[in-house]
Amino acid sequence: MEDKKTLFSAVQPSGTPTIGNYVGAINNFVKLQDEYNCIYSIADLHCLTVKQDPQSLKKATYELMALYLACGIDPEKCIMFVQSHVPCHAELTWVLNTITYPGELGRMTQFKDKSRTHQDNVNMGLMDYPVLMASDILLYNTAVVPVGADQKQHIELTRDLALRFNNRFGETFTVPDGIFPKYGAKIMSLSDPTKKMSKSDENINAYVSMYDDTDTIIRKFKKAVTDSDNKIVFDPENKAGISNLLTIYSVFSGVSIEDAVKEFEGKGYGDFKLKVGEAVAEGIKPITNKRLEIIKDKAYLNSVMIKGAENAYRIANRTLRKVYKKVGLYKAEL
Ligand code: ATP
Ligand code: LTN
C-alpha cells in the first residue's frame, strides 16, 4: 500500500440502508477512497446485539456489499470485507474488554436508547458493542474514521481505550480521529424531524431506503413533516424539518444549501418537497440499476468478500499478535 493514512469505517447490515447511512457514511466512503488507504467493513457481528432473523441478516450482508460497490467504492483501491470473516475482531474485543469498565459502557447514549427500544433483549453484546467497534478500528492502525454524528461517543471511547492500552503495555495502537460530514452528519426522520433517521424505525415513512423506488421516494417526501409557516430557510434549531430537507436536497443535487435556499425562495412547501423527492429519486436510480446488476453476480461478490477478508486478515492478525505479546500470552514456537 502507498504511504497514505489508513481510514476505517463500517455499516451494519441491519435492515435496508437509508439515505441517512448514505449521506452520513457511504457517500463519504466513496469520496475519500483516493486520499486514504480505505478499509470498509460490513459489521455483521454488531447486528447480533439486537434480534435478527438469520435469513434476513444473511441476505442483508450480501446486499450491502452490492450497495457499497454500486455506490462506487472500488475494490481495487479499498479493502472491503465482512467483519465476521476476520476472526481477529472478536479476539481483540476480548482483550480490550479487560481494560474497559462497565460504567463507561453503561453511559453510552446508544446503549441507553437501544435498551429502551429492545427491552426484551438487553444483552451483554449490546453493552459491549462499542468495544467491538474499537477493535474494528484499532486492528488496522487507523488514523481516521468517517461516521455520522451519532457515533461520536463511540469514537471517543475507542481513543480512550487505545491510550489506556498504550499507557499500560507500551505504544501499540494508533489513536484515531473521527471525521464527520459538514452537512448531513445527522439526517433526521421524515415523520419526526427531532429524531435521527433510522433503518430500524417501525414507521416506514420515517425513512427513505436506498432500495426504495422512485414513486415510493416521492410519496415519502410528500408526506414529510415540516411546520406551518411556509418559509424555506436553513435553521436546524427552529425549523428542523425544512433544514433536514434542504440538507438532503443539497447532497443529492450537488447544489449548495445557500443556493438551494435562493432557488426555493417564495415557493410553497408542496413544490419544495416534490423537488427534494425528485432529486433523491434521480440520485438513487443509477445506484439501484447498478446494484441490481451486481447482485446477480454471486461469484463476483463472493470474490470481492474473500479477497477483502484475506487482505484485512493480514493487517489485523499482525496487530493482534503484537497485542497478545504485549499482554503476556505465551506463544509456542519450535
Ligand atoms: P440502526 O438504525 O439499525 O441502529 P444505523 O443506521 O443507525 O442502524 P449503522 O448502519 O451502523 O447504524 O450506521 C452506519 C453509518 O451511517 C454510521 O456512520 C452512522 O453514523 C451513519 N448514520 C446512520 N444514521 C444516520 C443518519 N440519520 N444521518 C447521518 N448518518 C447516519
Ligand atoms: N457502530 C457503527 C458501525 C460500525 C463502525 C465500526 C463504524 C461498526 N464498526 C467501526 C466505524 C468504525 C454504527 O454506525 N452504528
Side-chain angles (χ1 to χ4, degrees):
M1 283 213 222
E2 287 170 61
D3 199 18
K4 293 177 188 169
K5 284 187 182 168
T6 299
L7 174 154
F8 184 98
S9 199
V11 176
Q12 299 182 80
S14 53
T16 59
T18 68
I19 56 169
N21 297 128
Y22 180 73
V23 173
I26 302 172
N27 184 36
N28 299 312
F29 296 179
V30 181
K31 288 192 195 149
L32 293 162
Q33 60 184 338
D34 291 315
E35 196 180 333
Y36 295 95
N37 281 323
C38 293
I39 306 176
Y40 295 124
S41 186
I42 295 182
D44 57 346
L45 293 172
H46 275 103
C47 285
L48 301 179
T49 59
V50 300
K51 269 189 198 144
Q52 301 287 343
D53 166 55
Q55 283 311 322
S56 311
L57 175 60
K58 217 160 135 180
K59 185 161 175 269
T61 303
Y62 180 80
E63 289 183 347
L64 183 54
M65 186 57 92
L67 179 66
Y68 272 180
L69 294 164
C71 288
I73 303 179
D74 181 352
E76 298 301 321
K77 290 183 188 159
C78 310
I79 296 178
M80 303 167 75
F81 75 104
V82 177
Q83 187 187 34
S84 65
H85 297 179
V86 178
C88 313
H89 294 248
E91 294 172 285
L92 181 60
T93 301
W94 179 255
V95 178
L96 292 182
N97 272 336
T98 66
I99 63 159
T100 309
Y101 310 119
E104 56 193 344
L105 296 180
R107 270 201 296 278
M108 293 284 140
T109 310
Q110 182 180 294
F111 172 65
K112 289 197 275 191
D113 286 350
K114 293 213 168 170
S115 301
R116 226 172 294 126
T117 47
H118 300 272
Q119 275 180 25
D120 57 333
N121 186 27
V122 183
N123 60 78
M124 289 307 295
L126 191 61
M127 191 164 184
D128 208 29
Y129 181 112
V131 182
L132 178 58
M133 179 163 160
S135 301
D136 294 343
I137 297 167
L138 297 179
L139 279 170
Y140 299 94
N141 305 313
T142 303
V144 294
V145 187
V147 276
D150 61 321
Q151 297 301 310
K152 226 174 216 165
Q153 229 185 2
H154 292 163
I155 304 287
E156 273 311 306
L157 180 82
T158 303
R159 292 170 58 86
D160 288 348
L161 293 180
L163 287 166
R164 196 174 299 161
F165 189 96
N166 289 351
N167 281 334
R168 208 173 289 177
F169 299 103
E171 207 52 36
T172 309
F173 294 125
T174 304
V175 182
D177 285 309
I179 46 177
F180 306 92
K182 186 161 174 236
Y183 295 107
K186 194 173 182 187
I187 296 295
M188 308 311 272
S189 154
L190 295 187
S191 51
D192 176 1
T194 62
K195 255 177 50 187
K196 185 188 93 150
M197 182 182 284
S198 168
K199 57 170 118 75
S200 38
D201 205 307
E202 69 264 13
N203 175 4
I204 58 164
N205 288 321
Y207 60 86
V208 171
S209 149
M210 290 299 290
Y211 304 162
D212 281 343
D213 60 28
T214 297
D215 290 349
T216 310
I217 296 171
I218 291 177
R219 182 169 39 78
K220 285 184 178 178
F221 276 103
K222 271 191 192 156
K223 282 199 184 142
V225 170
T226 47
D227 50 49
S228 53
D229 77 0
N230 241 8
K231 270 198 207 88
I232 299 171
V233 290
F234 189 71
D235 177 359
E237 213 135 280
N238 300 307
K239 290 178 69 78
I242 290 296
S243 305
N244 190 40
L245 294 180
L246 278 167
T247 305
I248 294 170
Y249 180 75
S250 165
V251 171
F252 279 91
S253 64
V255 172
S256 70
I257 292 194
E258 297 86 70
D259 287 348
V261 170
K262 278 184 211 141
E263 185 181 335
F264 293 110
E265 210 180 313
K267 299 240 166 71
Y269 282 180
D271 263 2
F272 173 53
K273 287 187 199 174
L274 180 65
K275 282 281 176 332
V276 180
E278 285 172 351
V280 172
E282 214 167 286
I284 288 184
K285 207 171 179 184
I287 298 176
T288 300
N289 291 341
K290 229 187 206 161
R291 184 174 59 82
L292 295 176
E293 270 306 302
I294 296 172
I295 255 172
K296 286 190 259 171
D297 196 346
K298 195 166 178 190
Y300 172 64
L301 267 165
N302 282 346
S303 74
V304 169
M305 287 186 196
I306 291 169
K307 187 179 109 193
E310 283 169 358
N311 288 333
Y313 178 78
R314 218 168 293 128
I315 307 169
N317 190 46
R318 215 180 303 135
T319 308
L320 187 70
R321 295 305 130 200
K322 201 153 116 189
V323 167
Y324 277 6
K325 189 170 170 196
K326 295 251 175 161
V327 299
L329 300 184
Y330 182 77
K331 184 174 181 221
E333 275 173 312
L334 292 176

